[in-house]
Amino acid sequence: MPDFADLGQGALRLVAPARPESIDLVHDLVAQLARTEDPPDPHDLMRFEMAVIEVIGNIVEHAVSTDPPEVTPRRFQLILDSTPAALEARFCDDGQPAEVDLESVTMPDPADAAEGGRGLALAMAAVDEVTYHRTEGINCWRLVCARS
Amino acid sequence: MTTFHVHDAGRGIGVIAPEGRLNMVSARQLTSAIGGLIDAGTTRIVVDLEATDFMDSSGLGALIGGLKSARQAGGDLRLARPSEQVRTVLKLTNLDRVLRPRDTVEGAFDA
Protein backbone atom coordinates (compact mmCIF):
# COMPACT_ATOMS: atom_id res chain seq x y z
CA MET A 1 0.00 0.00 0.00
CA PRO A 2 1.26 3.52 -0.68
CA ASP A 3 2.17 5.59 2.34
CA PHE A 4 1.87 9.40 2.32
CA ALA A 5 3.24 11.74 4.96
CA ASP A 6 3.35 15.49 5.37
CA LEU A 7 6.72 16.03 7.05
CA GLY A 8 6.02 19.71 7.73
CA GLN A 9 7.90 22.82 6.59
CA GLY A 10 7.05 22.20 2.94
CA ALA A 11 8.24 18.57 2.84
CA LEU A 12 6.09 15.66 1.65
CA ARG A 13 6.89 11.96 1.47
CA LEU A 14 5.49 9.06 -0.54
CA VAL A 15 6.50 5.41 -0.27
CA ALA A 16 4.93 3.17 -2.92
CA PRO A 17 5.59 0.10 -5.09
CA ALA A 18 7.70 0.79 -8.20
CA ARG A 19 4.81 0.04 -10.54
CA PRO A 20 3.19 2.07 -13.32
CA GLU A 21 0.06 2.59 -11.18
CA SER A 22 2.16 4.59 -8.71
CA ILE A 23 2.94 7.31 -11.26
CA ASP A 24 -0.42 8.98 -10.66
CA LEU A 25 0.41 9.12 -6.94
CA VAL A 26 3.59 11.01 -7.78
CA HIS A 27 1.61 13.50 -9.91
CA ASP A 28 -0.75 13.99 -6.94
CA LEU A 29 2.15 14.54 -4.53
CA VAL A 30 3.68 17.20 -6.78
CA ALA A 31 0.28 18.89 -7.09
CA GLN A 32 0.15 19.14 -3.29
CA LEU A 33 3.07 21.59 -3.41
CA ALA A 34 0.71 24.14 -4.96
CA ARG A 35 -1.35 24.00 -1.78
CA THR A 36 1.52 24.61 0.64
CA GLU A 37 2.05 27.92 2.48
CA ASP A 38 4.60 29.17 -0.03
CA PRO A 39 3.30 27.78 -3.34
CA PRO A 40 5.73 27.75 -6.28
CA ASP A 41 5.24 29.69 -9.50
CA PRO A 42 3.08 27.52 -11.81
CA HIS A 43 5.78 27.43 -14.51
CA ASP A 44 8.40 26.24 -12.00
CA LEU A 45 6.01 23.60 -10.72
CA MET A 46 5.37 22.44 -14.30
CA ARG A 47 9.12 22.08 -15.01
CA PHE A 48 9.59 20.27 -11.71
CA GLU A 49 6.69 17.87 -12.37
CA MET A 50 8.06 17.03 -15.82
CA ALA A 51 11.45 16.05 -14.39
CA VAL A 52 10.01 14.14 -11.42
CA ILE A 53 7.72 12.11 -13.72
CA GLU A 54 10.59 11.23 -16.07
CA VAL A 55 12.67 9.93 -13.16
CA ILE A 56 9.86 7.85 -11.63
CA GLY A 57 9.20 6.54 -15.15
CA ASN A 58 12.83 5.46 -15.35
CA ILE A 59 12.68 3.78 -11.91
CA VAL A 60 9.46 1.92 -12.76
CA GLU A 61 10.67 0.86 -16.19
CA HIS A 62 13.92 -0.43 -14.71
CA ALA A 63 12.06 -2.32 -11.96
CA VAL A 64 9.69 -3.92 -14.48
CA SER A 65 12.50 -4.93 -16.83
CA THR A 66 14.97 -6.31 -14.25
CA ASP A 67 12.96 -7.73 -11.37
CA PRO A 68 11.45 -11.23 -11.68
CA PRO A 69 7.64 -10.97 -11.80
CA GLU A 70 7.13 -13.36 -8.85
CA VAL A 71 8.99 -11.20 -6.33
CA THR A 72 7.33 -8.51 -4.29
CA PRO A 73 7.81 -5.31 -6.29
CA ARG A 74 10.49 -3.02 -5.03
CA ARG A 75 9.34 0.13 -3.31
CA PHE A 76 10.59 3.63 -3.80
CA GLN A 77 10.59 6.58 -1.47
CA LEU A 78 10.08 10.09 -2.78
CA ILE A 79 10.58 13.19 -0.66
CA LEU A 80 9.59 16.57 -2.06
CA ASP A 81 11.02 19.60 -0.35
CA SER A 82 9.81 23.11 -1.07
CA THR A 83 12.07 25.88 0.20
CA PRO A 84 12.07 29.62 -0.59
CA ALA A 85 14.93 29.03 -3.06
CA ALA A 86 14.03 25.78 -4.80
CA LEU A 87 11.88 22.71 -5.27
CA GLU A 88 13.78 19.53 -4.57
CA ALA A 89 12.92 15.86 -5.11
CA ARG A 90 14.84 12.94 -3.64
CA PHE A 91 14.06 9.41 -4.80
CA CYS A 92 15.55 6.23 -3.43
CA ASP A 93 14.89 2.60 -4.17
CA ASP A 94 16.65 -0.63 -3.29
CA GLY A 95 16.48 -2.23 -6.70
CA GLN A 96 19.20 -3.22 -9.13
CA PRO A 97 21.71 -0.48 -10.02
CA ALA A 98 20.11 1.92 -12.50
CA GLU A 99 23.25 1.85 -14.69
CA VAL A 100 22.83 5.48 -15.56
CA ASP A 101 25.60 7.75 -16.72
CA LEU A 102 24.01 11.18 -16.75
CA GLU A 103 27.09 12.72 -18.36
CA SER A 104 26.45 10.69 -21.50
CA VAL A 105 22.75 11.61 -21.76
CA THR A 106 21.93 13.65 -24.85
CA MET A 107 18.68 14.62 -26.53
CA PRO A 108 18.09 12.45 -29.64
CA ASP A 109 18.22 14.28 -32.96
CA PRO A 110 14.63 15.13 -33.99
CA ALA A 111 15.46 14.06 -37.55
CA ASP A 112 15.89 10.47 -36.33
CA ALA A 113 12.30 10.46 -35.05
CA ALA A 114 13.25 7.94 -32.36
CA GLU A 115 10.30 6.90 -30.21
CA GLY A 116 12.30 6.53 -26.98
CA GLY A 117 15.44 7.67 -25.21
CA ARG A 118 14.32 11.19 -24.32
CA GLY A 119 13.23 10.75 -20.71
CA LEU A 120 16.35 11.65 -18.77
CA ALA A 121 17.41 14.24 -21.35
CA LEU A 122 14.01 15.89 -20.89
CA ALA A 123 14.36 15.80 -17.10
CA MET A 124 17.80 17.42 -17.35
CA ALA A 125 16.50 20.09 -19.73
CA ALA A 126 13.49 20.86 -17.52
CA VAL A 127 15.21 21.50 -14.18
CA ASP A 128 18.49 22.90 -12.91
CA GLU A 129 20.08 19.82 -11.40
CA VAL A 130 19.67 16.05 -11.83
CA THR A 131 22.04 13.70 -10.04
CA TYR A 132 22.14 9.94 -9.53
CA HIS A 133 24.32 7.85 -7.27
CA ARG A 134 24.19 4.43 -5.69
CA THR A 135 25.11 4.05 -2.04
CA GLU A 136 25.08 0.79 -0.05
CA GLY A 137 22.67 -0.89 -2.45
CA ILE A 138 20.31 2.09 -2.72
CA ASN A 139 19.65 4.04 -5.95
CA CYS A 140 19.44 7.75 -5.11
CA TRP A 141 18.18 10.48 -7.42
CA ARG A 142 18.09 14.18 -6.62
CA LEU A 143 16.37 16.87 -8.69
CA VAL A 144 16.55 20.58 -8.01
CA CYS A 145 14.40 23.23 -9.67
CA ALA A 146 15.43 26.73 -8.63
CA ARG A 147 12.49 29.07 -8.11
CA SER A 148 12.35 31.80 -10.73
CA MET B 1 -7.41 7.32 -15.68
CA THR B 2 -7.06 8.58 -19.22
CA THR B 3 -9.87 8.21 -21.73
CA PHE B 4 -9.59 8.50 -25.50
CA HIS B 5 -12.43 10.04 -27.46
CA VAL B 6 -12.30 9.15 -31.15
CA HIS B 7 -14.50 10.68 -33.83
CA ASP B 8 -14.69 11.12 -37.58
CA ALA B 9 -14.26 14.77 -38.58
CA GLY B 10 -15.15 14.17 -42.24
CA ARG B 11 -12.83 14.76 -45.23
CA GLY B 12 -11.11 11.46 -44.29
CA ILE B 13 -9.84 12.92 -41.02
CA GLY B 14 -10.03 11.09 -37.69
CA VAL B 15 -9.72 12.91 -34.37
CA ILE B 16 -8.37 11.37 -31.16
CA ALA B 17 -8.84 13.43 -28.01
CA PRO B 18 -6.99 12.06 -24.96
CA GLU B 19 -8.55 13.26 -21.71
CA GLY B 20 -6.22 13.09 -18.71
CA ARG B 21 -2.52 12.31 -18.70
CA LEU B 22 -0.43 10.86 -21.52
CA ASN B 23 2.22 8.90 -19.66
CA MET B 24 3.82 5.48 -19.42
CA VAL B 25 0.45 3.94 -18.50
CA SER B 26 -1.71 5.52 -21.19
CA ALA B 27 0.80 5.82 -24.06
CA ARG B 28 0.01 2.27 -25.22
CA GLN B 29 -3.69 3.13 -25.43
CA LEU B 30 -2.85 6.10 -27.64
CA THR B 31 -0.77 3.85 -29.90
CA SER B 32 -3.73 1.44 -30.13
CA ALA B 33 -6.19 4.24 -30.89
CA ILE B 34 -3.99 5.56 -33.69
CA GLY B 35 -3.43 2.04 -35.04
CA GLY B 36 -7.18 1.41 -34.97
CA LEU B 37 -7.87 4.45 -37.16
CA ILE B 38 -5.12 3.55 -39.63
CA ASP B 39 -6.28 -0.08 -39.84
CA ALA B 40 -9.78 1.20 -40.61
CA GLY B 41 -8.40 3.29 -43.47
CA THR B 42 -8.26 6.71 -41.78
CA THR B 43 -4.68 7.88 -42.21
CA ARG B 44 -5.15 11.61 -41.65
CA ILE B 45 -5.25 11.95 -37.86
CA VAL B 46 -5.56 14.92 -35.54
CA VAL B 47 -4.63 14.40 -31.90
CA ASP B 48 -6.66 17.02 -30.04
CA LEU B 49 -4.77 17.78 -26.83
CA GLU B 50 -7.14 20.33 -25.31
CA ALA B 51 -8.13 17.98 -22.46
CA THR B 52 -4.67 16.44 -22.07
CA ASP B 53 -3.41 17.64 -18.69
CA PHE B 54 0.13 16.35 -18.90
CA MET B 55 2.41 14.53 -21.34
CA ASP B 56 5.71 12.80 -20.59
CA SER B 57 8.35 11.29 -22.88
CA SER B 58 6.33 8.05 -23.19
CA GLY B 59 3.34 9.99 -24.50
CA LEU B 60 5.63 11.86 -26.85
CA GLY B 61 7.05 8.53 -28.07
CA ALA B 62 3.52 7.30 -28.85
CA LEU B 63 2.87 10.47 -30.90
CA ILE B 64 6.09 9.98 -32.89
CA GLY B 65 5.24 6.32 -33.47
CA GLY B 66 1.77 7.37 -34.63
CA LEU B 67 3.22 10.02 -36.94
CA LYS B 68 5.48 7.43 -38.56
CA SER B 69 2.64 4.90 -38.94
CA ALA B 70 0.30 7.49 -40.45
CA ARG B 71 2.92 8.66 -42.93
CA GLN B 72 3.81 5.09 -43.90
CA ALA B 73 0.12 4.57 -44.67
CA GLY B 74 0.12 7.65 -46.91
CA GLY B 75 -1.39 10.06 -44.40
CA ASP B 76 -0.16 12.32 -41.61
CA LEU B 77 -0.64 13.08 -37.93
CA ARG B 78 -1.14 16.60 -36.59
CA LEU B 79 -1.39 18.00 -33.06
CA ALA B 80 -4.01 20.54 -32.09
CA ARG B 81 -4.59 22.73 -29.03
CA PRO B 82 -1.72 21.58 -26.79
CA SER B 83 -1.36 23.01 -23.30
CA GLU B 84 1.68 25.02 -22.25
CA GLN B 85 3.14 21.88 -20.65
CA VAL B 86 2.84 19.86 -23.87
CA ARG B 87 4.32 22.75 -25.87
CA THR B 88 7.23 22.85 -23.43
CA VAL B 89 7.89 19.12 -23.90
CA LEU B 90 7.88 19.56 -27.68
CA LYS B 91 10.23 22.54 -27.44
CA LEU B 92 12.72 21.00 -25.01
CA THR B 93 12.96 17.86 -27.17
CA ASN B 94 13.28 19.93 -30.38
CA LEU B 95 10.27 18.10 -31.79
CA ASP B 96 8.13 21.21 -32.22
CA ARG B 97 9.22 21.32 -35.87
CA VAL B 98 8.36 17.66 -36.50
CA LEU B 99 5.08 17.84 -34.57
CA ARG B 100 4.15 21.50 -35.10
CA PRO B 101 1.22 22.39 -32.82
CA ARG B 102 -1.91 23.74 -34.55
CA ASP B 103 -4.39 26.12 -32.96
CA THR B 104 -7.58 24.35 -34.03
CA VAL B 105 -8.76 20.83 -34.78
CA GLU B 106 -10.68 22.00 -37.87
CA GLY B 107 -7.66 23.76 -39.34
CA ALA B 108 -5.04 21.16 -38.42
CA PHE B 109 -4.83 19.85 -41.98
CA ASP B 110 -4.94 23.26 -43.65
CA ALA B 111 -1.42 23.99 -44.94
Side-chain angles (χ1 to χ4, degrees):
Chain A
M1 287 294 290
D3 173 30
F4 283 104
D6 185 337
L7 306 177
Q9 296 187 322
L12 303 166
R13 186 184 66 199
L14 167 69
V15 179
R19 285 185 166 155
E21 308 87 83
S22 296
I23 293 176
D24 276 342
L25 302 177
V26 174
H27 279 287
D28 295 344
L29 196 73
V30 173
Q32 279 191 40
L33 291 178
R35 298 191 287 273
T36 52
E37 275 183 25
D38 182 19
D41 171 84
H43 187 78
D44 291 343
L45 190 60
M46 181 192 81
R47 295 193 294 128
F48 184 63
E49 182 174 19
M50 284 164 52
V52 167
I53 293 302
E54 293 302 334
V55 170
I56 186 58
N58 190 284
I59 292 170
V60 167
E61 199 172 297
H62 199 70
V64 169
S65 67
T66 61
D67 295 352
E70 67 275 13
V71 302
T72 307
R74 71 172 79 170
R75 293 167 76 80
F76 67 90
Q77 173 179 276
L78 168 61
I79 292 178
L80 301 183
D81 212 348
S82 173
T83 69
L87 304 174
E88 185 175 323
R90 296 188 297 278
F91 282 100
C92 42
D93 75 272
D94 58 358
Q96 297 294 309
E99 292 170 7
V100 169
D101 177 9
L102 291 175
E103 286 184 16
S104 69
V105 170
T106 54
M107 191 65 77
D109 187 330
D112 295 342
E115 289 173 44
R118 289 187 181 80
L120 292 178
L122 179 56
M124 292 166 78
V127 296
D128 301 280
E129 199 180 323
V130 179
T131 55
Y132 165 79
H133 69 273
R134 186 169 167 89
T135 307
E136 296 174 356
I138 306 286
N139 295 310
C140 307
W141 294 86
R142 180 168 174 265
L143 310 179
V144 180
C145 176
R147 294 205 192 208
S148 54
Chain B
M1 187 68 193
T2 308
T3 51
F4 293 83
H5 308 277
V6 182
H7 73 269
D8 183 341
R11 297 189 297 151
I13 296 171
V15 178
I16 300 172
E19 184 181 345
R21 295 169 180 145
L22 274 182
N23 59 20
M24 181 187 270
V25 180
S26 58
R28 287 187 202 94
Q29 295 168 263
L30 175 61
T31 300
S32 301
I34 294 169
L37 280 177
I38 294 173
D39 289 347
T42 301
T43 60
R44 298 208 304 166
I45 297 166
V46 180
V47 180
D48 177 8
L49 295 164
E50 191 195 27
T52 304
D53 306 321
F54 185 91
M55 183 176 81
D56 72 358
S57 62
S58 306
L60 182 61
L63 290 176
I64 296 165
L67 173 71
K68 288 199 279 193
S69 302
R71 287 185 177 170
Q72 278 164 10
D76 204 356
L77 181 143
R78 306 272 169 96
L79 304 186
R81 307 196 290 178
S83 66
E84 188 198 351
Q85 190 269 334
V86 173
R87 284 179 188 271
T88 304
V89 170
L90 292 169
K91 194 157 179 276
L92 290 177
T93 54
N94 304 315
L95 285 162
D96 47 351
R97 283 161 286 169
V98 180
L99 286 164
R100 185 158 62 87
R102 319 283 167 145
D103 293 333
T104 65
V105 173
E106 297 73 24
F109 269 94
D110 299 343

